[in-house]
Amino acid sequence: MILAVIETIDNKPVPGSLEVLGLASGLSGETGAKIRVVVPVSSAKKWEDPFREAGFSLCLMENETLSSYNHEVLVQGLAELAGSLNPRYICFPGTVFSGSAAPLLASLMSAPYIASVEKVKKTGDGILFTRPTHGEKYLEDIVTDADTSIISARPGSFTYKEGPVKSGSEGDVTVFSFTCREKAISIEEVKYAHRGRSDIERAEVIVTAGRGAGDEDGIIRVENLGALFRESAVGATRPVCDRGLLPYTQQVGSTGRRVSPSAYIACGVSGSSQHLAGMRESGMIVSINSDPAAPITAVADYIIVEDLSEFIPLLIKKYRDKYAPG
Amino acid sequence: MLVTAQALYRNNHIYNQCICIDNLYKSEIFRDMNILVCVKEVLAPGISENLREAFPGKILSHINSYDLYGIEEAVLLREKFPGTGVDALTAGYESSSRVLRKALEMGADNGFQILLDDSLSTESSHVASCIADFISEKNYDLVITGVLSEDSLQGEMGGLLAGKLGLPYAHSVMKLDYQEEDRSIHAESEIDGGTRILYRLTLPAIISVQSGINAPRYPKLSNKLRAKKQELVVIDPGDREISSPGKVRVARYRRESSPAGIVLQGTGEEKAETLLHILHEKRLLR
């Protein structure tokens, strides 16, 4: 059996966490094992099943503190549930919150943890889990021989599309209630970052500065490039925001904003999975980068291998010569 | 005596002249709060201790950049709460002493190195067991790790330690406040979409810090000189049994980033013209 743990907030699924169903479906396809979707809820009565048509069998894991992000309680419940169901795999999405729960569970259960898996494949050695290492420039293949293994998805590598995954009858729903031991953490507040749409979510074109864009001068170059478009905004990768070069409100990626403009122009962006998860749905992706092997080339429609400090001024000059209005 | 030593220590001017008091203070009995920062030496792929011997003097590793934020956060806490002691720990090959020096340069009081060899012992579950043993012997109030290591990309050490030690854990922390009165911390974890969860954890506790929580300092020259001379405490994990991690790497290879799209050819000028043409055709240009 495969347990697929989705995330919920106030008894509703967190959309980004449904990628775990894609991972579990892939794993089920390779192993033939059945999937049970674990849904943390504060009360089973409050769950309105959005997957009724999908044919998954559900386990509503019920505890009054599970209406919010409490990994401590979640993990206690999962360990107890796993003790009775004895699953071969427990799958998590590639979200940050699940990144706190999965290793904790692995540690409690003395189970191996294989994080950020982007591919599963059956071979003679068993199931091969492929995951990135070393700045995502390398891949490794892992096999596991444990009774239970904890697996998490690489953000953006698996998708769950709305609608039936398997045709046929509705899946069964079971309820698993548990009481947890004394709690050492408490949630004081949940602060939502981005209520309402921001400029970068509205823009037709996003020009994004990555680490390779350079320092302050590099950011100005990227901003100047943005000025060539009718409706544009400047985006940033996490390292650029960490360095204080642009504000976090302009960060694109899984912990920033998820965007899908008509055109996304990535300047000096290497393309971490967290960044790709936030922009891969863009209409057209252009990468300008001096590194021809940057992971972003795997999703870009047009790849330009050039030094930004020379290429952007050149591009602006050519634009002025030929296209500039008036 | 104890009070005087602390008061003296807090005065930076006198501290510079009182090395003996400094050493006294490094002992944990003089501290109000004990912090341990875990730091990791990140190796280029495929580098093992043997290969490193073949390239003497060549720098093939660096400190995990996420751990710099951990050291900085601990040092910031000590600046705010002067009774705080900051230790740095690494588990790795002999060469990992370099990353401990970096932690000392940034302001850690002591450096501890758990020596591992090339075999299975660098597997994360074993490393976590060794570090957990160290922590339980030392009575730390707060253990800080980086959210991720750049080589393994597992993002697991904080969670593994919390599970082994049964301590409360907050992951991907972007803001940290210590409440002296009830010995707890408020930690803001950043999750997807930039949402922050404010957790309250009673100490002792473990957190992992996300990049951007602070701006790691560049060490002062005087700190660099001090760090160079300071002795590290080397810990041999001895014949601690290595339990099977339950997983094995069967291959590692460079990612084939076969470009999905079109690689523009020609001179820079030609590429610029092609790109402008595409953008113009899509009516995106001003």
Side-chain angles (χ1 to χ4, degrees), chain A residues 242, chain B residues 65-70 72 106 212-219:
Chain A
D242 286 344
Chain B
S65 65
Y66 293 93
D67 300 342
L68 296 173
Y69 296 94
E72 180 65 29
M106 287 177 68
I213 183 175
N214 53 42
R217 66 193 63 196
Y218 292 103

Side-chain angles (χ1 to χ4, degrees), chain A residues 69 71 96 107 113 131 134 136-137 139-141 186 188-189 191 228 238 242 254 301 303 306, chain B residues 151-152 160 169 188 190 192-193 196 198-200 211 247-250 253 255 262 271 286:
Chain A
Y69 293 99
H71 49 283
V96 181
S107 187
Y113 172 41
R131 61 178 302 279
H134 296 85
E136 307 206 1
K137 290 194 168 133
L139 294 172
E140 62 181 6
D141 294 334
S186 59
E188 306 284 295
E189 196 186 347
K191 302 178 181 178
L228 306 190
R238 178 155 199 125
D242 286 344
S254 52
D301 300 291
I303 297 136
E306 285 289 335
Chain B
D151 50 359
S152 78
L160 293 181
Y169 174 54
E188 273 186 30
E190 186 188 62
D192 288 60
R196 303 249 183 122
L198 176 60
Y199 293 108
R200 184 180 164 278
S211 65
K247 61 174 182 178
V248 177
R249 179 199 305 135
V250 291
Y253 42 95
R255 184 194 284 278
I262 298 161
K271 291 177 195 171
R286 197 185 279 274

Side-chain angles (χ1 to χ4, degrees), chain A residues 181-233:
Chain A
R181 300 186 301 275
E182 197 187 339
K183 293 186 285 290
I185 66 171
S186 59
I187 296 174
E188 306 284 295
E189 196 186 347
V190 177
K191 302 178 181 178
Y192 292 96
H194 314 305
R195 294 245 189 239
R197 279 158 70 85
S198 73
D199 287 349
I200 64 168
E201 281 157 307
R202 277 191 294 265
E204 188 177 45
V205 177
I206 296 177
V207 186
T208 291
R211 202 197 300 254
D215 50 13
E216 283 85 353
D217 291 343
I219 301 297
I220 292 168
R221 268 195 293 276
V222 171
E223 285 171 342
N224 290 341
L225 174 59
L228 306 190
F229 300 98
R230 289 192 310 165
E231 287 175 47
S232 72

